[in-house]
Amino acid sequence: MTTIDINALALVLAQAAEAEIRPRFRALAKGDIRTKADANDLVTAADEAAERFISREVKAQFPGVLFVGEESVAADPALLPKLADAELAIVVDPIDGTFNFAAGVPLFGVMAAIVSGGETVGGIIYDPMGDDFVMAEKGGGAWQTGDHRPAVRLKTRGAAALEDMTGMASTSFLDRERRARILGNLAKVAFVSNYRCAAHEYRTFAGGNLHYLMYNKLMPWDHLAGTLIAEEAGAYAARFDGSRYMPHHVEGGLLLAPDRESWEMLRRDVFVD
């Protein structure tokens, strides 16, 4: 099986952030921010420049690999279905949390996933502001690491009673009726919020600081890396119907919890259809 050096890929993400993202943070001109699907779906000059940087380096260092980036798919939607049959692919979100980035909020990340034969086998979440990584390779655990700092193995939080659970849920892509139902049910848990940034939500969860994550919209650049990292840190993850989340899935919702019993409790009592 062809492999990719995950550390080399992580370095590319950090280099893209240094060259194209951090210099533009809180320095975007009016014309550097545009809307895509709606007023809350933004793309900036930094997103586009960072993805071009990463794409160029990936193609140079890993020739023949399918590159699937959020902005590349926005320009060419026919690229996304190729992920299902790709022998080896790299899936990239150049800036996850673009809304925060554009607003000058220092809560955004750069994410990449390695997909081999239809399976996610590697995941990286880089924090440009903290200059550190959360990373995982399938079967090798999840780790947080950065320059001049020893690597720390991540472990998700243990199970808890429903009323003691804290977590994050993204309800904005649910239909109105189900959103109302779930928002009412969330009164049963101790705490719910979201960062508008899956990169940092996954980092927080995998680091043992939350009991659950819930998402409805599934785009691979948003969730492949984080789900693998969470699973390698000990979490149980599945779509709402109980099936395993796979790289080609773009619908069906996603729920992560400390274990299967907790997952089933959350699905039954909170995240209902």
Side-chain angles (χ1 to χ4, degrees):
M1 181 187 298
T2 305
T3 60
I4 289 173
D5 183 341
I6 194 170
N7 293 304
L9 181 57
L11 180 59
V12 170
L13 303 190
Q15 290 170 335
E18 181 178 10
E20 307 292 357
I21 297 174
R22 282 196 296 266
R24 291 179 168 90
F25 182 56
R26 295 180 178 164
L28 293 168
K30 185 176 181 180
D32 289 338
I33 306 171
R34 304 192 314 278
T35 60
K36 294 195 286 188
D38 57 54
N40 292 314
D41 187 10
L42 305 180
V43 61
T44 73
D47 295 78
E48 294 170 331
E51 184 161 319
R52 285 194 298 269
F53 184 107
I54 297 168
S55 176
R56 182 176 65 247
E57 290 300 315
V58 163
K59 290 172 182 176
Q61 296 187 38
F62 314 110
V65 170
L66 175 68
F67 180 85
V68 179
E70 179 177 7
E71 307 314 326
S72 302
V73 171
D76 179 13
L79 182 61
L80 184 58
K82 296 179 180 179
L83 186 60
D85 299 319
E87 179 181 346
L88 193 62
I90 292 176
V91 181
V92 167
D93 192 341
I95 301 180
D96 184 73
T98 298
F99 187 93
N100 294 343
F101 180 84
V105 177
L107 200 63
F108 51 90
V110 187
M111 298 200 288
I114 302 168
V115 176
S116 178
E119 296 270 348
T120 308
V121 298
I124 307 164
I125 302 176
Y126 176 63
D127 175 9
M129 305 306 290
D131 189 26
D132 70 351
F133 301 88
V134 167
M135 303 168 58
E137 291 184 274
K138 190 172 181 64
W143 301 83
Q144 183 170 5
T145 184
D147 286 345
H148 312 298
R149 280 169 282 180
V152 176
R153 188 159 190 169
L154 301 178
K155 181 174 175 54
T156 50
R157 196 165 185 174
L162 185 64
E163 62 268 23
D164 295 325
M165 285 191 175
T166 64
M168 297 197 181
S170 176
T171 61
S172 56
F173 295 105
L174 296 166
D175 66 74
R176 189 177 298 273
E177 289 186 5
R178 190 175 181 207
R179 185 189 313 160
R181 209 159 42 241
I182 288 175
L183 287 173
N185 287 337
L186 282 166
K188 300 175 183 178
V189 303
F191 173 85
V192 62
S193 184
N194 74 73
Y195 291 152
R196 297 197 68 152
C197 177
H200 278 280
E201 291 165 2
Y202 279 113
R203 285 173 61 106
T204 304
F205 177 76
N209 299 294
L210 300 170
H211 294 103
Y212 65 87
L213 295 177
M214 187 284 288
Y215 301 98
N216 189 55
K217 183 179 179 182
L218 300 184
M219 301 311 291
W221 43 82
D222 288 327
H223 300 294
L224 293 183
T227 300
L228 177 67
I229 290 166
E231 289 176 325
E232 288 295 323
Y236 183 82
R239 294 197 296 167
F240 293 154
D241 65 1
S243 64
R244 187 180 174 205
Y245 171 53
M246 301 294 287
H248 65 277
H249 290 149
V250 294
E251 58 187 18
L254 182 62
L255 178 60
L256 297 93
D259 52 34
R260 183 166 184 169
E261 184 177 354
S262 299
W263 188 97
E264 291 175 345
M265 178 171 60
L266 286 161
R267 181 71 173 95
R268 180 185 65 246
D269 296 336
V270 179
F271 299 109
V272 296
D273 290 324

